[in-house]
Amino acid sequence: MKKHLFLGDEAIAQAAIDAGLSGVYSYPGTPSTEITEYIQSSRLAQERKIFSKWCSNEKTAVETALGMSYAGKRVLSCMKHVGLNVAADAFMNVAMSGINGGMIIVTADDPSMHSSQNEQDNRVYGNFAQIPVFEPSNQQEAYDMVYEGYDLSEKWGYPILLRITTRMAHSRAGVQTRELKPQNPVQVEENAQSKYILLPAIARKRYKVLLDKQKEFLEASENSKYNQLFTPQPPKGGVASQPHSVKSPSGDLGVGIVACGIAFNYLQENYPNGFEHPVLKISQYPLPKKKLLQLTEMCDEILVLEDGFPVVEEQLKGYLSVGLKIRGRLDGTLNRAGELNPDNVRKALGLEVTTHYAVPEIVESRPPALCAGCGHRDVYQALNDVIKEEYKAARVFSDIGCYTLGALPPFRAIDSCIDMGASITMARGASEAGIFPAIAVIGDSTFTHSGMTGLLDCVNAKANVLIIISDNETTGMTGGQESAATGHIYNICKGIGVEPEHIREIVPLKKNYKEMKAMVREEIEYQGVSVIIPCRECIQTYARKVKSAKKESK
Ligand SMILES: Cc1ncc(C[n+]2csc(CCOP(=O)(O)OP(=O)(O)O)c2C)c(N)n1
Ligand code: SF4
């Protein structure tokens, strides 16, 4: 089998293909996007006719994945951590119905919020739904967990949540791939209705099945090769100590370490010659309680290393008898917010801290900005000028996308950005509270992700709002994926019930500046729901198209 230098995201994608994947259903979001993009551009995936078209949002993605799994095929659904909030209804209920074809849901969490509005830890969701969670400590494990995960998912009859973080998704390591498996045939389960119709009488039965499964999930965690107890060994030229069965705890080993997911990797970096403490590596949940107790019995103190929330630290406190000291993010040994790295892990271990990982001086820090020539700039220019000249009390509720950069100088054009879709709904609420004018600015992809239902609420409520759908015909912020909205926005707005004469279209260019200002003014003055759709292709995707057309014509 071949060895490849893969990003964590690529390792996951390749493993899914190799394991017999039939479809990937996702919505883009950093740091998960490259998983689906890898499958979309894989020749093997194309030969195998693996479905990989982007979905409108994460909820439609998980539900479509469930449909494929229902038919017996192996399926993947990928999203960033906040995407799982959007998919949560589907996610929680897939844990009730169970699945047929193997199903893996990838959540790419973003501690330190490199490109997100929060740093939620979605291991909590796995616990909430009571399904197994895998958390790789390196790219090879990410590959193996997905490759083997499909068999486990089918054996258990439940989806698996694979939790990675930004550093795992976006760093490379050598990965050994395995043999290519055939795809599953279409095969619907007998008596499928007794699983998939979650009427209360059936749901109660399914919940009992899920509760009964917990024993099996726990046993699998206890025996998992991904959860291992290591005890200190004499240094052996550069290798971490080998897994070891611990028999007679003496209680004199001092600090024991629990290292979850990628934190185990950081720990290894700090002990290149083998661990000096007993270490429990955890990469599969539910928490392996017996192994944890084995560790705690041999130590006076436990240090928990986990990227994200103090999930294990809190649970551990619940299991243990009083007296054992637990250190981690809750007592301040480690930073409560932000990601782990080899340096802060080193500090928590009481080792001398070096500055290996400082940003090199050659890298100049630069605030993000809208590209020169971006259509969103023309929209903000006209909007700002109208507000400055005539509507000083205006509030602009915005959303998530490149256009959020309108918050920064030189525009400082927006007053909010909370979650995908919140621009339209917040504008309505603010308008009903008495703010005038209440204006929403939303991108095309965000509109079809979560804005359409808010628009329907506005129409039904006859809200007095102006909604600007700044359409660049792509999902710009995440790298220019196709947008489900392209070519549909006018008709969607009309279908939802916005008066056709108050759905206005314009090309946001300097030459149309005066016309755009007039349009904004007129629609602010209209007492009702109005929509302006400034539409001009993102110049980055446009440049890429021109480049590839030139290449093809050579
Ligand atoms: C629930 C959720 N899913 C995904 C993302 C990642 N994300 C941020 S903005 C965005 C869409 C941006 O596209 P669009 O609205 O068209 O605006 P553009 O960036 O093209 O200006 C996505 C997918 C997110 N922040 N939240
Ligand atoms: S990537 Fe496209 S949408 Fe985003 S700022 Fe640049 S030109 Fe504008």
Side-chain angles (χ1 to χ4, degrees), residues 27-30 32-33 56-58 79-87 115-117 370 374 376 399-404 418-420 442-450 469-481 483 485 538:
Y27 183 74
T30 311
S32 70
T33 311
S56 293
N57 68 33
E58 294 84 355
M79 61 206 68
K80 71 183 282 148
H81 58 338
V82 286
L84 197 51
N85 300 334
V86 176
S115 51
S116 309
Q117 71 269 44
L370 290 164
C374 171
H376 296 321
D399 229 297
I400 308 187
C402 285
Y403 52 93
T404 317
I418 302 290
D419 62 67
M420 290 186 78
I442 187 168
D444 50 311
S445 181
T446 306
F447 176 66
T448 42
H449 177 285
S450 288
I469 305 176
S470 193
D471 180 6
N472 55 8
E473 300 183 323
T474 190
T475 315
M477 175 150 256
T478 46
Q481 297 76 22
S483 162
C538 159

Side-chain angles (χ1 to χ4, degrees), residues 148-170:
E148 296 159 10
Y150 280 104
D151 289 340
L152 289 172
S153 169
E154 283 169 8
K155 182 178 115 182
W156 291 329
Y158 282 91
I160 284 171
L161 182 67
L162 184 82
R163 188 241 184 182
I164 55 168
T165 52
T166 305
R167 303 290 170 183
M168 172 60 58
H170 286 173

Side-chain angles (χ1 to χ4, degrees), residues 33-233:
T33 311
E34 291 87 346
I35 305 172
T36 303
E37 286 183 334
Y38 180 95
I39 296 171
Q40 286 172 338
S41 61
S42 154
R43 191 175 294 172
L44 179 58
Q46 277 157 25
E47 280 165 17
R48 304 193 117 209
K49 298 191 169 32
I50 294 174
F51 291 87
S52 61
K53 199 167 171 60
W54 290 108
C55 297
S56 293
N57 68 33
E58 294 84 355
K59 181 171 180 284
T60 65
V62 170
E63 290 160 353
T64 313
L66 180 61
M68 179 163 271
S69 163
Y70 175 95
K73 301 226 169 207
R74 293 188 165 183
V75 69
L76 184 67
S77 184
C78 311
M79 61 206 68
K80 71 183 282 148
H81 58 338
V82 286
L84 197 51
N85 300 334
V86 176
D89 199 10
F91 176 75
M92 294 301 293
N93 290 311
V94 172
M96 292 288 285
S97 67
I99 53 86
N100 181 21
M103 179 166 173
I104 295 181
I105 299 169
V106 180
T107 168
D109 296 1
D110 188 19
S112 279
M113 298 175 257
H114 296 285
S115 51
S116 309
Q117 71 269 44
N118 76 27
E119 61 171 36
Q120 71 186 57
D121 182 333
N122 281 354
R123 288 177 299 167
V124 174
Y125 263 118
N127 202 11
F128 193 23
Q130 304 181 72
I131 60 167
V133 178
F134 286 74
E135 190 189 13
S137 67
N138 59 43
Q139 284 71 7
Q140 181 67 59
E141 267 190 4
Y143 179 93
D144 293 339
M145 284 173 169
V146 171
Y147 190 83
E148 296 159 10
Y150 280 104
D151 289 340
L152 289 172
S153 169
E154 283 169 8
K155 182 178 115 182
W156 291 329
Y158 282 91
I160 284 171
L161 182 67
L162 184 82
R163 188 241 184 182
I164 55 168
T165 52
T166 305
R167 303 290 170 183
M168 172 60 58
H170 286 173
S171 57
R172 288 185 188 277
V175 173
Q176 191 98 39
T177 55
R178 305 210 220 162
E179 67 173 359
L180 183 63
K181 293 185 183 177
Q183 290 169 281
N184 287 349
V186 173
Q187 197 160 29
V188 178
E189 294 155 285
E190 269 177 37
N191 204 8
Q193 281 116 337
S194 66
K195 265 175 81 171
Y196 297 99
I197 301 179
L198 290 178
L199 279 168
I202 297 174
R204 279 181 215 115
K205 284 187 193 145
R206 290 303 306 170
Y207 190 45
K208 189 159 181 323
V209 174
L210 176 64
L211 293 179
D212 290 345
K213 271 277 164 190
Q214 299 306 307
K215 237 168 119 188
E216 198 178 332
F217 296 158
L218 182 60
E219 217 170 278
S221 278
E222 296 288 3
N223 299 320
S224 168
K225 64 180 174 191
Y226 301 120
N227 293 338
Q228 285 190 345
L229 191 55
F230 298 79
T231 51
Q233 306 270 303

